[in-house]
Amino acid sequence: WAFSLLAAHGLNLLVFVASVKTILEWKDSTEALAFYGVYHRNPLNQIIHFFGVPLILWTQLVFSSHLILVRIVVPFVQPVHYVSWATVWAILYVCFYLKIDAFGALLYAPVLFGMYATAIRWAAHDQQEYVKRSKRTHWMGTGRLLQYASFFHVLGWYVQVHPGHFIFEGAAPAALRSLGGAITTAPLFAFYEGVWYCGFAKE
């Protein structure tokens, strides 16, 4: 299991570096959202991404919540847990959105916090189940949660890439041009689509 743990940490590190590199290039929300928005003009594709992007982000947090980085307890979030890649991703998103759009960051923060808290809770419950059965710990827990998360993660990518882009949009997804740009900007853009639909912040 040591190899699988190392590979999981390595994958998170690669995606994290790509994301940080892109974040440092964006100047403001106009530039960041314009990059992503040009690939999502079809209304049906926008609807698919409104649901698909949060699904991908949440499952990403589920995956990374299994990968502990520092055995320091994260304050203000229950259940009690250590700093993991999920913590790092949550902080990265908040800092990035504060950098490019404080208004959007404040609106999106409760949503992101909810995703983080539920991902941590589900992961902790799964770990407890494994300890009850085997009397020892394993970074994957029972493995069931990771299996479910993998299914929905792949589903989230599929519905966006195939029907969303290649059928309705008729264009390749933004992730093919910049994986870091798509991963970091997509959640805020999908959230704003809902905000715009409700008639707010259309400027």
Side-chain angles (χ1 to χ4, degrees), residues 13 18 52 58 81-82 96 99 138 143 159-160 180 200:
L13 180 60
W58 185 77
H81 62 284
Y82 298 120
F96 173 47
K99 172 193 173 186
H138 190 289
V159 296
Q160 291 180 92
F200 299 107

Side-chain angles (χ1 to χ4, degrees), residues 22-168:
T22 304
I23 285 174
L24 295 176
E25 295 173 354
W26 297 138
K27 297 177 182 178
D28 52 33
S29 60
T30 301
E31 183 179 9
L33 295 178
F35 157 77
Y36 197 76
V38 74
Y39 293 88
H40 305 87
R41 298 178 178 179
N42 181 275
L44 291 176
N45 190 32
Q46 292 173 352
I47 292 174
I48 289 174
H49 280 67
F50 180 75
F51 293 100
V53 168
L55 181 61
I56 290 175
L57 176 57
W58 185 77
T59 52
Q60 174 190 346
L61 291 173
V62 170
F63 295 145
S64 52
S65 66
H66 289 74
L67 304 172
I68 296 173
L69 291 173
V70 184
R71 291 194 174 274
I72 297 176
V73 174
V74 178
F76 311 119
V77 186
Q78 294 295 327
V80 175
H81 62 284
Y82 298 120
V83 173
S84 66
W85 271 110
T87 314
V88 173
W89 281 113
I91 294 173
L92 178 70
Y93 277 109
V94 170
C95 291
F96 173 47
Y97 295 157
L98 283 172
K99 172 193 173 186
I100 64 171
D101 182 12
F103 175 74
L106 292 175
L107 286 179
Y108 192 66
V111 178
L112 183 60
F113 178 82
M115 289 186 181
Y116 175 75
T118 54
I120 290 297
R121 181 172 297 276
W122 283 36
H125 178 73
D126 186 69
Q127 289 285 353
Q128 291 171 2
E129 286 292 318
Y130 182 78
V131 171
K132 287 180 182 178
R133 293 180 184 181
S134 62
K135 306 303 180 183
R136 58 192 178 89
T137 61
H138 190 289
W139 77 272
M140 289 185 179
T142 66
R144 286 200 312 271
L145 179 59
L146 289 175
Q147 290 175 356
Y148 295 145
S150 297
F151 171 79
F152 286 108
H153 192 78
V154 172
L155 178 65
W157 279 106
Y158 170 76
V159 296
Q160 291 180 92
V161 173
H162 185 221
H165 278 283
F166 290 113
I167 295 179
F168 298 124

